[in-house]
Amino acid sequence: MHQLTLAEIARGLADKKFSSEELTKVLLARIAQLDPQLNSFISLTEDLALTQAKAADARRANGESGALLGAPIAHKDLFCTQGIRTSCGSKMLDNFKAPYDATVVAKLAAAGAVTLGKTNMDEFAMGSANESSYYGAVKNPWNLEYVPGGSSGGSAAAVAARLLPAATGTDTGGSIRQPAALTNLTGLKPTYGRVSRWGMIAYASSLDQGGPLARTAEDCAILLQGMAGFDPNDSTSIDEPVPDYSASLNGSLQGLRIGVPKEYFSAGLDPRIAELIHNSVKELEKLGAVIKEISLPNMQHAIPAYYVIAPAEASSNLSRFDGVRFGYRCENPVNLIDLYKRSRGEGFGPEVQRRIMVGAYALSAGYYDAYYLKAQKIRRLIKNDFMAAFNEVDIILGPTTPNPAWKLGAKNSDPVAAYLEDVYTITANLAGLPGLSMPAGFVDGLPVGVQLLAPYFQEGRLLNVAHQYQLNTDWHTRTPTGF
Ligand code: GLN
């Protein structure tokens, strides 16, 4: 039963092959048995899950239907869940029980989804390896000595190991697409403003966006349907109608113009990944797509711009964690300054502290123009590159990451080496564009992802292309040994 996709679960529940309660019990037992190897969960919510599953079964018995009604999922541990620990992977929030549900959590619960637990993540979503979590590193089910990617590494590892069919994640610079690539999943970062950020603990507010991680594009369509939509509580949420993502999965790719940026195939890319990306291009050509080489000339500036903007926003967002209002407070402070200093010094881990310092520096008087303002100008140039490219093509295709997963600990002493892994993903966040990563093959037994980018609000096009690709390839069906 644990091998079923969301789409298959919906059919099984509708045909009364099994109940949501039965399925939930099977998956909870599987998590108890296998997760100790992976560490993909921070909290399990067994009681809530069984209550939700029974309620979903009762709703179905009353004639209700819906693709998410009774479907087991999990939330990245930065989505607030009422009365349940919402840690953001940090000691700072280890004791924080959210007083309300994030909009995404509330919407999925209303659609009948069953929450099995809260997944592990890099502390405050800062990282690409899920090693900065206060709760310990997550292991990649494809090889337990390797990282699963981050920051949504717990969601990715759990879904890849078939502990559950799908989970939520967030993507500020690649944290859905990169772990999807490194664990053989399909992951979608929606257009900025498509999914509400209300109740999603902020990292870098102008870049953060929630989205689905699942094994197939078909399942990402189902989960995104439950997450997307206007939210008056989020001032950056956009009031655009949500299309039926499942209905557009079967559109023909005849004549689809795919742009392949020449800058994506530069020296930093593992040549074995380049070959797999070229194979996926050929596959899409067979389905009728037309390939065109394009250029994104400002891409080389993306990492420096991102690693100024994201820490700048983070330093501001994280100033609320002061030992007074939220979370961790140091023992016996002697005065207010001591309270601030020790609560933040003890509550935040080293990567978070590094980013706060970089961000505060970039925003300080005298440096603002030289760093933050310049980075914002680069951001506009990057967006303009994309706008020019999308005048000529419908989709942009390239690798999701320059390398496959690396060994646990391998990049710990060199934060910049880890930052460089984000080279292909962060541009979509800087421009606010939707992006998807899907399985494209293996290098030394480790999964590789191909990334698709589309114009604003064209999530349906991304899912359509990915679904057609998955009907004609079987990479996404491969299962890690032992799971
Ligand atoms: N790896 C990037 C960072 O550490 C992206 C993280 C994310 O998308 N949350 O900032």
Side-chain angles (χ1 to χ4, degrees):
M1 224 189 274
H2 63 266
Q3 291 286 3
L4 299 175
T5 63
L6 279 183
E8 289 163 348
I9 288 169
R11 279 194 291 275
L13 290 171
D15 296 346
K16 301 197 167 46
K17 293 215 170 93
F18 48 83
S19 68
S20 175
E21 187 182 348
E22 280 163 356
L23 175 63
T24 299
K25 284 183 174 156
V26 167
L27 295 182
L28 286 172
R30 197 171 153 79
I31 292 169
Q33 184 202 344
L34 295 174
D35 197 49
Q37 296 175 58
L38 297 169
N39 196 27
S40 63
F41 281 89
I42 290 175
S43 304
L44 288 173
T45 52
E46 291 104 331
D47 293 347
L48 172 69
L50 289 170
T51 307
Q52 286 178 325
K54 284 181 198 155
D57 287 335
R59 281 167 68 180
R60 279 201 185 265
N62 277 331
E64 262 191 72
S65 59
L68 286 166
L69 188 52
I73 60 159
H75 290 295
K76 184 176 183 177
D77 205 20
L78 54 53
F79 286 100
C80 285
T81 38
Q82 186 172 10
I84 295 164
R85 172 166 62 177
T86 301
S87 75
C88 219
S90 182
K91 179 178 179 185
M92 184 58 89
L93 290 177
D94 182 49
N95 63 1
F96 177 64
K97 286 190 177 156
Y100 65 99
D101 279 336
T103 298
V104 161
V105 171
K107 279 174 85 90
L108 288 171
V114 172
T115 303
L116 302 185
K118 307 288 298 287
T119 57
N120 204 341
M121 56 180 284
D122 277 302
E123 186 177 4
F124 282 96
M126 298 173 188
S128 310
N130 216 122
E131 292 183 291
S132 75
S133 169
Y134 173 60
Y135 302 91
V138 177
K139 317 283 168 24
N140 190 326
W142 289 93
N143 185 329
L144 297 173
E145 290 178 9
Y146 283 71
V147 303
S151 63
S152 312
S155 288
V159 177
R162 275 68 176 161
L163 304 187
L164 76 175
T168 58
T170 61
D171 191 313
T172 303
S175 284
I176 290 175
R177 290 161 288 157
Q178 186 256 13
L182 270 40
T183 60
N184 207 43
L185 298 182
T186 307
L188 175 78
K189 173 228 171 283
T191 307
Y192 185 75
R194 176 75 296 182
V195 169
S196 168
R197 293 184 299 106
W198 199 70
M200 209 177 94
I201 296 174
Y203 162 17
S205 313
S206 77
L207 303 161
D208 298 341
Q209 191 62 197
L213 280 146
R215 272 148 37 210
T216 64
E218 189 182 27
D219 280 7
C220 282
I222 292 172
L223 194 54
L224 179 62
Q225 201 76 46
M227 298 173 79
F230 177 62
D231 179 4
N233 285 332
D234 171 2
S235 62
T236 58
S237 164
I238 296 179
D239 197 356
E240 276 276 315
V242 181
D244 184 337
Y245 296 117
S246 298
S248 57
L249 289 172
N250 284 314
S252 159
L253 304 192
Q254 201 60 48
L256 179 88
R257 297 167 304 166
I258 297 184
V260 180
K262 58 173 193 261
E263 291 82 3
Y264 281 20
F265 295 86
S266 60
L269 178 63
D270 182 328
R272 298 166 302 176
I273 294 189
E275 193 184 328
L276 292 173
I277 302 306
H278 287 305
N279 292 344
S280 65
V281 168
K282 282 186 213 134
E283 199 61 51
L284 291 167
E285 264 184 311
K286 276 196 241 157
L287 299 176
V290 187
I291 311 302
K292 201 175 157 132
E293 187 185 83
I294 60 164
S295 173
L296 298 170
N298 290 295
M299 182 184 145
Q300 52 176 320
H301 306 304
I303 288 188
Y306 173 89
Y307 278 100
V308 169
I309 294 170
E313 293 186 16
S315 76
S316 167
N317 276 324
L318 271 57
S319 64
R320 77 191 67 181
F321 302 105
D322 56 5
V324 178
R325 289 166 296 177
F326 295 95
Y328 180 77
R329 175 178 297 181
C330 67
E331 300 278 342
N332 306 318
V334 294
N335 57 33
L336 188 62
I337 297 297
D338 185 47
L339 168 77
Y340 289 157
K341 276 191 177 165
R342 282 203 289 123
S343 298
R344 288 169 67 80
E346 293 163 17
F348 290 136
E351 185 61 26
V352 174
Q353 293 192 24
R354 181 179 298 124
R355 307 245 185 150
I356 291 173
M357 283 191 282
V358 168
Y361 179 82
L363 289 177
S364 57
Y367 295 115
Y368 182 93
D369 288 2
Y371 296 110
Y372 187 70
L373 204 62
K374 182 156 279 163
Q376 290 288 27
K377 288 178 181 169
I378 291 170
R379 183 174 192 175
R380 175 51 64 103
L381 294 176
I382 287 168
K383 178 189 166 182
N384 290 349
D385 282 357
F386 278 119
M387 295 302 99
F390 283 128
N391 280 331
E392 297 174 41
V393 298
D394 305 308
I395 287 268
I396 293 175
L397 180 149
T400 308
T401 62
N403 295 296
W406 56 93
K407 271 203 162 163
L408 286 151
K411 294 189 201 268
N412 278 0
S413 57
D414 185 359
V416 175
Y419 298 170
L420 293 175
E421 292 297 320
D422 301 335
V423 60
Y424 300 121
T425 48
I426 54 185
T427 49
N429 303 76
L430 289 168
L433 293 166
L436 176 147
S437 179
M438 61 181 180
F442 292 82
V443 164
D444 291 337
L446 294 167
V448 165
V450 55
Q451 178 178 232
L452 308 173
L453 303 174
Y456 297 115
F457 293 102
Q458 297 305 318
E459 287 80 6
R461 190 183 296 168
L462 293 174
L463 292 163
N464 172 206
V465 176
H467 182 62
Q468 294 306 307
Y469 176 83
Q470 291 179 342
L471 289 176
N472 291 280
T473 54
D474 67 357
W475 302 119
H476 63 288
T477 65
R478 311 284 174 98
T479 309
T481 316
F483 298 96

